[in-house]
């Protein structure tokens, strides 16, 4: 039996997105556990996910617990089959639809993203949608692949019974940010695999990707301190903290330079388009009657 769970702070949001997706893919025997606002109070997502794990631990014949954000809509009609396939190896400790390797902190997208089978649907500026690199698998880039990663994006997580029995979200780390990085490191530290499958999910989310910047920074620092020196060599930068700080500063400056270059290229492309349009209009004005 595959169970579905969600920590709900906005019931309207849950009904529009998470609940609709669950109804699309749930099987007749699936259990659905929305932990509503009456049970949330001021508790963090870490705490509420632990409550969901406690509920799942009571379920008989549990094959997987799927936890989704209230604004995440599962749209893959083969969802349950893919979850079973992805979790069939007993060495798998957690499964997601987006992930990366070479991840050193909660900014998992700074690693090498191997799969991103979601779309980001937003309502600003009249609404729109940004497709992840593998949302349409037939259009995936050459480097895309399913399989083992360092970290998954936690807006949709499929958890085997082993996870339910052995892993808990670290409630000391904050209110919302970084829970997925932390549990992925717990899974890896226990000798299990963090895995991905091409599972299509729509994340209905504002373009403001980080609403609580101060909270994100605080979580980044706490989680970095917790896992300092404990990540695998592939995830870490060699040297002491001063060397890593210099590396981070250099990487930031390089990123700024790349961003400036991209802006220059964009401006040049726009100027070229304007120039070509002007040439076409000029040619048309000189055309004989």
């Amino acid at each position: 039996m595959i169970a579905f769970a969600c920590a709900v702070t906005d019931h309207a949001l849950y009904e529009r997105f998470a609940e609709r997706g669950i109804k699309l893919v749930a099987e007749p025997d699936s259990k659905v556990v929305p932990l509503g606002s009456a049970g949330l109070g001021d508790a963090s997502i870490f705490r509420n996910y632990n409550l969901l794990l406690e509920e799942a631990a009571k379920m008989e014949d549990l094959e997987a617990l799927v936890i989704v954000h209230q604004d995440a809509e599962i749209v893959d009609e083969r969802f349950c089959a893919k979850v079973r396939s992805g979790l069939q190896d007993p060495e798998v400790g957690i499964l997601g639809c987006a992930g990366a390797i070479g991840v050193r902190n909660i900014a998992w997208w700074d690693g090498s993203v191997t799969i991103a089978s979601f779309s980001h649907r937003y309502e600003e500026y009249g609404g729109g949608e940004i497709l992840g690199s593998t949302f349409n698998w037939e259009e995936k880039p050459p480097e895309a692949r399913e399989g083992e990663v360092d970290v998954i994006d936690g807006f949709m997580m499929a958890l085997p019974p082993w996870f339910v029995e052995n892993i808990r979200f670290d409630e000391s780390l904050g209110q919302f940010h970084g829970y997925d990085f932390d549990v992925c490191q717990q899974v890896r530290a226990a000798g299990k695999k963090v895995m991905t499958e091409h599972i299509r999910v729509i994340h209905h989310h504002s373009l403001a990707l980080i609403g609580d910047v101060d909270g994100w920074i605080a979580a980044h620092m706490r989680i970095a301190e917790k896992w300092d020196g404990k990540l695998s060599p592939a995830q870490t930068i060699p040297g002491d903290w001063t060397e890593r700080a210099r590396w981070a500063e250099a990487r930031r400056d390089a990123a700024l330079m790349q961003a400036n270059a991209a802006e220059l290229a964009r401006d040049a492309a726009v100027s070229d388009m304007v120039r070509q349009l002007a040439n076409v209009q000029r040619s048309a004005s000189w055309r004989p009657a």
Side-chain angles (χ1 to χ4, degrees):
M1 181 270 296
I2 295 178
F4 296 85
C6 183
V8 182
T9 58
D10 185 327
H11 288 270
L13 205 62
Y14 169 73
E15 291 170 1
R16 285 179 64 195
F17 304 129
E19 185 179 46
R20 183 167 64 189
I22 291 170
K23 286 180 177 179
L24 174 70
V25 303
E27 298 172 326
D29 65 342
S30 293
K31 289 185 172 61
V32 181
V33 185
L35 182 62
S37 57
L40 289 171
D42 294 326
S44 69
I45 197 169
F46 296 82
R47 175 57 178 158
N48 293 305
Y49 278 8
N50 282 337
L51 293 175
L52 292 173
L53 289 175
E54 295 301 325
E55 288 300 311
K58 303 172 187 176
M59 298 177 185
E60 297 182 1
D61 302 321
L62 180 70
E63 294 178 78
L65 172 66
V66 176
I67 301 182
V68 295
H69 282 191
Q70 62 188 358
D71 58 1
E73 179 184 359
I74 301 167
V75 293
D76 196 318
E77 294 186 358
R78 297 191 60 246
F79 180 84
C80 287
K82 290 182 177 181
V83 166
R84 287 191 174 95
S85 174
L87 295 179
Q88 65 180 341
D89 181 351
E91 295 306 306
V92 175
I94 188 170
L95 177 73
C97 68
I101 58 175
V103 181
R104 294 168 295 277
N105 53 55
I106 67 174
W108 68 269
W109 52 88
D110 274 349
S112 298
V113 177
T114 59
I115 188 169
S117 298
F118 64 89
S119 76
H120 176 188
R121 193 169 292 178
Y122 57 90
E123 297 182 352
E124 296 97 321
Y125 305 105
E129 186 172 31
I130 303 169
L131 298 184
S133 60
T134 62
F135 186 76
N136 294 319
W137 192 250
E138 63 277 6
E139 300 174 5
K140 68 182 185 297
E143 68 275 10
R145 61 168 176 79
E146 298 172 309
E148 189 170 3
V149 293
D150 292 336
V151 176
I152 62 167
D153 189 323
F155 69 89
M156 191 287 293
M157 302 179 291
L159 313 174
W162 173 87
F163 186 108
V164 174
E165 296 168 4
N166 294 280
I167 301 295
R168 288 298 179 266
F169 294 85
D170 187 344
E171 298 177 28
S172 71
L173 296 177
Q175 291 295 110
F176 182 81
H177 302 291
Y179 65 90
D180 39 12
F181 178 88
D182 180 67
V183 293
C184 285
Q185 299 318 310
Q186 290 188 51
V187 166
R188 287 163 57 82
K192 298 290 186 177
K193 298 176 182 178
V194 178
M195 299 291 285
T196 57
E197 284 274 334
H198 172 57
I199 299 173
R200 289 156 61 101
V201 180
I202 298 174
H203 199 186
H204 300 265
H205 197 285
S206 165
L207 287 172
L209 298 179
I210 302 177
D212 175 20
V213 175
D214 289 341
W216 189 88
I217 292 172
H220 189 293
M221 295 171 64
R222 279 193 289 266
I223 293 172
E225 182 178 4
K226 174 178 177 178
W227 291 103
D228 184 36
K230 300 175 185 177
L231 301 179
S232 67
Q235 293 172 267
T236 57
I237 304 302
D240 61 14
W241 71 267
T242 55
E243 187 173 349
R244 294 198 299 273
R246 293 190 195 101
W247 179 90
E249 184 178 19
R251 189 172 186 276
R252 180 206 62 191
D253 291 341
L256 289 173
M257 183 171 61
Q258 290 175 318
N260 290 336
E263 186 174 355
L264 291 173
R266 181 203 63 194
D267 292 344
V270 169
S271 297
D272 184 52
M273 290 177 62
V274 170
R275 186 166 51 250
Q276 291 185 46
L277 180 59
N279 290 337
V280 170
Q281 291 174 336
R282 190 158 43 252
S283 297
S285 67
W286 283 99
R287 187 176 301 158

